[in-house]
Amino acid sequence: MIRVSGLTKRYGDFTAVHGIDFEVNEGEVFGLLGPNGAGKTTTVEILEGLRPRTSGEVSVLGFDPGIQHRILKDRIGVCLQAANFPEKIRVWEAVRLFASFYSRTADGDALLRRLQLWEKRQSFYSHLSGGQKQRLALALALLNDPQLLFLDEPSAGLDPQARLEIHELVLGLRAERRTILLTTHYIEEAERLCDRVAIIDEGRIVALGTPREIQDRVIGASLIEVTAAAPLPEAPSGGWRDCDSFSLSGDRCVLSVRSRVLPATLVDLVKWLDASGVVLRDVRLQRPSLEEAFLELTGKRLRD
Amino acid sequence: MSRALAALIVVDLKLAFRDKVVIFFNYLFPLMFFFAFAEIFGGRDTVGQTVTMVLAIGILGNGLWGAGMRLVQERELHILRRFKVTPVTPLPLLAASLVTGLLVYLPAVGLTLFLAHTIYGMPYPQQWASLLAMTVLGVIAFRAIGLIVAAVVNSVQESTIVIQLLYMPMLLLSGATIPLVLLPEWARVFSRFLPASYLIGAFESILVADRTLAVNLDAAGAMLLTTLLATAVAARIFRWEKGERLDNRAKLWLAAVFAPFLALGTWSLLP
Ligand SMILES: Nc1ncnc2c1ncn2[C@@H]1O[C@H](COP(=O)(O)OP(=O)(O)OP(=O)(O)O)[C@@H](O)[C@H]1O
Ligand SMILES: [Mg+2]
């Protein structure tokens, strides 16, 4: 659906995107995750045919967005990070107006209902809440019934409730097997919504894969925490297979083991516990989060 | 294309009538002049003159301010960006602005004629078809000039300055507010190069002297040519967002837009 190779974008002397490569496959939700100024919007808007690229190969639905942007725009759905509507346009008027631009249109009323804007269809744009404005932006992005959607920070600046609504909608679109490229700087959003994620920082992709793969790739170890009913016996001197380190609590009832290869360590540890006749009260596993992965890969926190 | 144009016109019209500034400049402002002029220049005998001036003032405001500001504002407010991600092209957007300006303005013409008739006893124009045609040509020409201003300026402030630079001379030196006979010689020469002078000349000839458009073909032709040139150039150099840079050569095209009137002015000054 999307193929990008060696994409570079310069603004004057400043290089915003440094030769990035990625592909987005049909039916997948692909996330560009990165801090402010990483180059997410630049990348996405090049793919949408809104900005020219400096160099590199780009193909979207088989079209070159730098050349065949009109036919491309007829087929894709776009939610811009920064866009506005006239204050005094009514919701249904905006829907009807934008529908007139496409060669193929979905049912506008059905879209308004789906995005919970039916009650607000007579409202002026300026009277909508932030969440409603964002839902209208999504409704308009879906007007041409696109198989490929670009959502640039669809939930930025929304309260948690409104953000959850947007997440539900995106998951619904994913269930319909629409292909989605979304950008975000919320880790939870990427983890929850995306099949694959590219972490982008200062115009470079520093990691790419499923959220799980990215977590696994970073060195930050998983943690196994075992709580026993009675004090635990002395641990073997070398610990367990592939474990990094371990520690016992003061009452010797809680054992924390850090592991680089979780399954191997876990099996070894369970065998030892069983052989020692320990009665377990609780077991907890903690994988490094995408947030930790991000911190390790970029040395940055995500939130501004 | 035509579906988009129709939808754009409908929405533009609704937005126009929801905007107090539009109502003020198209209806109230010219009417203020109407009553003021009618009192200053006396009623009955000169009412045709007064109507001519009022129509010109309305068309200047509708075109330069109405068309010139709106697109710039929409570009600054990131409204045009949203259009940029759709397959729509600049031409229907610009054409919709021409048509909307005309539809907003026509009732003002009717209102002015009605008031002139009932209050000051002006007969309804004999050459009403010519008057209508000239109104149409005048409104779209000045809308198109407004659109070309919007196309070349980079901000609302710049647009205000450029529009003032066009608006004030045309308001003051073309006969729209001060009758040309009261102006000094240099101003009368200068007025030959102003599009507004030709608009006023044509209205005067149609309204006061009951001539037809056929007698005013030079003015009509220049209006039409300006409309076509300005709209074509505005479409060509159209910018959807502030970040887009304007090719410097494009600014030269501006001269072409005013060329018909420069030619007419030069021609009229030849011995
Ligand atoms: N039109 C432009 N001209 C010059 N520099 C630009 C332009 N657009 C973006 N930049 C710069 O390019 C870099 C990447 O910007 P971009 O908007 O793509 O980042 P982003 O990842 O989308 O950030 P955010 O999370 O804040 O939206 C930034 O340093 C920005 O200042
Ligand atoms: Mg961005």
Side-chain angles (χ1 to χ4, degrees):
Chain A
M1 284 256 158
I2 300 179
R3 254 182 304 127
V4 175
S5 80
L7 174 63
T8 297
K9 173 68 182 182
R10 273 193 280 278
Y11 296 110
D13 304 337
F14 175 73
T15 306
V17 177
H18 292 263
I20 60 172
D21 309 282
F22 65 89
E23 285 189 16
V24 179
N25 304 315
E26 190 165 354
E28 121 177 294
V29 179
F30 188 92
L32 284 176
L33 175 65
N36 288 123
K40 304 182 295 292
T41 297
T42 300
T43 304
V44 170
E45 293 196 354
I46 287 171
L47 299 181
E48 294 161 357
L50 297 191
R51 304 187 192 193
R53 60 186 187 266
T54 307
S55 62
E57 295 297 312
V58 177
S59 154
V60 180
L61 297 175
F63 301 111
D64 181 335
I67 300 165
Q68 298 151 297
H69 53 90
R70 186 129 297 131
I71 183 161
L72 181 63
K73 285 170 184 171
D74 194 31
R75 310 240 180 124
I76 59 174
V78 175
C79 226
L80 291 168
Q81 184 178 3
N84 239 318
F85 295 91
E87 283 191 3
K88 291 210 174 159
I89 195 166
R90 294 185 200 279
V91 167
W92 71 269
E93 290 167 352
V95 168
R96 181 167 302 178
L97 175 64
F98 279 80
S100 76
F101 301 153
Y102 294 100
S103 61
R104 182 175 73 156
T105 45
D107 178 355
D109 288 355
L111 273 177
L112 286 178
R113 287 209 175 82
R114 172 170 185 183
L115 287 140
Q116 292 148 47
L117 286 168
W118 185 246
E119 270 72 49
K120 288 280 164 191
R121 67 190 182 280
Q122 294 287 357
S123 299
F124 286 140
Y125 180 69
S126 57
H127 293 172
L128 298 181
S129 72
Q132 288 163 344
K133 284 180 177 168
Q134 195 56 27
R135 291 208 301 271
L136 176 61
L138 267 173
L140 296 181
L142 290 167
L143 262 181
N144 56 340
D145 194 19
Q147 285 313 299
L148 175 60
L149 276 151
F150 294 90
L151 311 177
D152 197 357
E153 311 233 357
S155 69
L158 300 183
D159 59 67
Q161 172 63 30
R163 180 170 307 152
L164 275 184
E165 286 169 10
I166 298 289
H167 287 184
E168 290 306 318
L169 283 164
V170 173
L171 290 172
L173 294 171
R174 174 160 94 166
E176 293 167 8
R177 302 235 354 114
R178 296 189 205 252
T179 311
I180 300 174
L181 173 56
L182 68 83
T183 77
T184 177
H185 46 181
Y186 297 113
I187 298 262
E188 315 85 84
E189 190 160 286
E191 257 174 330
R192 176 136 191 250
L193 303 180
C194 299
D195 299 305
R196 288 192 308 140
V197 176
I199 294 183
I200 177 165
D201 184 40
E202 294 181 5
R204 292 192 170 84
I205 291 181
V206 293
L208 194 155
T210 64
R212 192 59 178 264
E213 282 167 358
I214 293 178
Q215 291 163 15
D216 285 349
R217 207 171 306 152
V218 300
I219 310 154
S222 303
L223 178 72
I224 309 167
E225 208 176 76
V226 181
T227 308
L232 286 157
E234 202 61 42
S237 58
W240 301 271
R241 262 187 73 191
D242 292 309
C243 92
D244 271 353
S245 62
F246 61 88
S247 62
L248 262 178
S249 62
D251 60 2
R252 301 184 63 87
C253 285
V254 183
L255 171 65
S256 305
V257 181
R258 291 208 161 265
S259 159
R260 221 172 308 166
V261 188
L262 184 63
T265 311
L266 189 60
V267 169
D268 205 24
L269 178 64
V270 168
K271 278 187 194 154
W272 175 79
L273 288 168
D274 195 37
S276 314
V278 173
V279 179
L280 290 185
R281 199 180 284 157
D282 193 20
V283 178
R284 271 182 43 207
L285 296 179
Q286 203 184 324
R287 306 177 59 79
S289 68
L290 200 54
E291 174 119 35
E292 283 172 72
F294 187 86
L295 190 63
E296 189 164 326
L297 286 163
T298 67
K300 288 180 188 151
R301 292 239 156 245
L302 269 173
R303 305 289 156 67
D304 28 330
Chain B
M1 160 85 192
S2 59
R3 204 160 52 96
L5 178 61
L8 280 163
I9 291 171
V10 169
V11 166
D12 275 2
L13 266 180
K14 287 180 176 172
L15 292 176
F17 283 110
R18 286 170 196 162
D19 186 347
K20 291 190 192 70
V21 180
V22 171
I23 302 302
F24 179 78
F25 272 106
N26 280 283
Y27 304 113
L28 298 180
F29 189 65
L31 282 186
M32 279 159 42
F33 275 97
F34 176 76
F35 288 113
F37 287 168
E39 294 309 314
I40 295 169
F41 301 123
R44 300 203 161 262
D45 300 342
T46 55
V47 66
Q49 208 69 40
T50 299
V51 170
T52 292
M53 289 166 143
V54 168
L55 292 187
I57 291 169
I59 289 177
L60 278 173
N62 175 300
L64 297 178
W65 291 107
M69 296 298 289
R70 166 103 186 271
L71 272 181
V72 185
Q73 283 165 348
E74 295 200 334
R75 188 161 63 216
E76 290 218 322
L77 293 173
H78 298 310
I79 292 172
L80 288 184
R81 287 196 91 216
R82 187 59 188 78
F83 289 84
K84 192 184 181 186
V85 299
T86 73
V88 77
T89 55
L91 200 56
L93 258 81
L94 298 171
S97 174
L98 297 183
V99 176
T100 305
L102 184 62
L103 294 179
V104 168
Y105 188 63
L106 283 179
V109 180
L111 183 62
T112 311
L113 293 175
F114 173 75
L115 291 176
H117 178 74
T118 47
I119 303 179
Y120 300 102
M122 185 186 92
Y124 280 117
Q126 282 179 19
Q127 304 300 339
W128 61 269
S130 292
L131 179 68
L132 180 66
M134 198 59 221
T135 306
V136 171
L137 289 171
V139 173
I140 60 176
F142 280 89
R143 290 293 285 191
I145 295 174
L147 293 176
I148 204 77
V149 170
V152 293
V153 300
N154 291 310
S155 65
V156 168
Q157 283 101 314
E158 254 182 68
S159 155
T160 311
I161 294 169
V162 175
I163 292 173
Q164 281 292 11
L165 284 176
L166 295 171
Y167 182 70
M168 290 315 285
M170 290 209 257
L171 197 63
L172 299 176
L173 302 178
S174 67
T177 48
I178 308 169
L180 279 179
V181 289
L182 301 179
L183 293 175
E185 180 59 24
W186 66 264
R188 263 179 284 167
V189 171
F190 181 67
S191 77
R192 303 281 182 105
F193 298 96
L194 295 175
S197 309
Y198 293 89
L199 184 68
I200 290 162
F203 274 148
E204 211 174 327
S205 128
I206 294 168
L207 272 170
V208 182
D210 288 332
R211 301 266 171 74
T212 65
L213 197 66
V215 184
N216 295 285
L217 279 184
D218 53 346
M223 298 288 163
L224 187 60
L225 204 55
T226 293
T227 306
L228 297 176
L229 279 171
T231 309
V233 174
R236 184 139 183 114
I237 63 178
F238 194 85
R239 286 174 295 162
W240 304 90
E241 33 187 339
K242 267 197 103 172
E244 292 173 49
R245 300 250 312 140
L246 183 61
D247 188 0
N248 270 328
R249 272 175 315 174
K251 291 188 179 165
L252 283 178
W253 275 98
L254 263 191
V257 170
F258 291 97
F261 294 100
L262 295 181
L264 273 184
T266 312
W267 178 254
S268 75
L269 290 176
L270 290 178

